Amino acid sequence: MVDHVTSRWGVWVLISLRSNDLRFHELRESVQGVSEKMLARTLRALVRDELVRRAVEPTTPPQVTYGLTEFGRDVGEPLVDLFDRITRRLPPRTAGQVCGPERLVPRPAGVRPWRPAG
């Protein structure tokens, strides 16, 4: 379980879900740079560890929404706090400097999305 929470994408998923539930494509847009395959794998692991809940609406096509469980909120809270502390200490950004998922740090018009190194 610790591996999933501290994984490169697991951290971003938990931070992205901190304020509201999101559908798969919304998460993919929020966590810039993650492939569909890796996001699906990360979500499966977090659901299996009961950090994230998966809700399926019986529509055509099915609407799947992901959100944090109570346990996921407890585990994710220190990560969000750490993220907030780090971003508060960063120097002010210029229009060309954006870090983190675009949902967390709004991207100015015309600036390319953030991509994690590696």
Side-chain angles (χ1 to χ4, degrees):
M1 176 186 319
V2 173
D3 291 343
H4 300 148
V5 173
T6 59
S7 73
R8 177 180 189 176
W9 302 116
V11 169
W12 286 117
V13 168
L14 292 175
I15 290 172
S16 294
L17 291 172
R18 73 182 182 195
S19 34
N20 56 347
D21 296 354
L22 297 172
R23 295 180 65 186
F24 185 87
H25 73 278
E26 293 169 325
L27 267 170
R28 192 178 65 224
E29 290 172 5
S30 176
V31 184
Q32 292 291 317
V34 68
S35 68
E36 287 188 26
K37 180 179 178 180
M38 185 52 70
L39 180 56
R41 183 181 296 168
T42 301
L43 286 168
R44 273 195 302 273
L46 293 173
V47 168
R48 188 173 47 249
D49 291 341
E50 297 181 2
L51 294 163
V52 171
R53 64 178 154 62
R54 181 178 186 267
V56 181
E57 293 292 325
T59 59
T60 304
Q63 181 177 339
V64 180
T65 307
Y66 296 92
L68 292 179
T69 62
E70 192 62 39
F71 180 48
R73 287 193 188 288
D74 289 344
V75 170
E77 189 174 320
L79 298 174
V80 170
D81 185 47
L82 177 64
F83 179 82
D84 289 343
R85 286 176 187 227
I86 290 169
T87 55
R88 278 195 309 265
R89 295 195 53 115
L90 292 175
R93 293 179 198 87
T94 63
Q97 298 174 318
V98 177
C99 71
E102 74 178 358
R103 185 173 148 273
L104 301 177
V105 181
R107 183 177 67 217
V111 176
R112 293 176 45 197
W114 173 81
R115 300 280 187 229

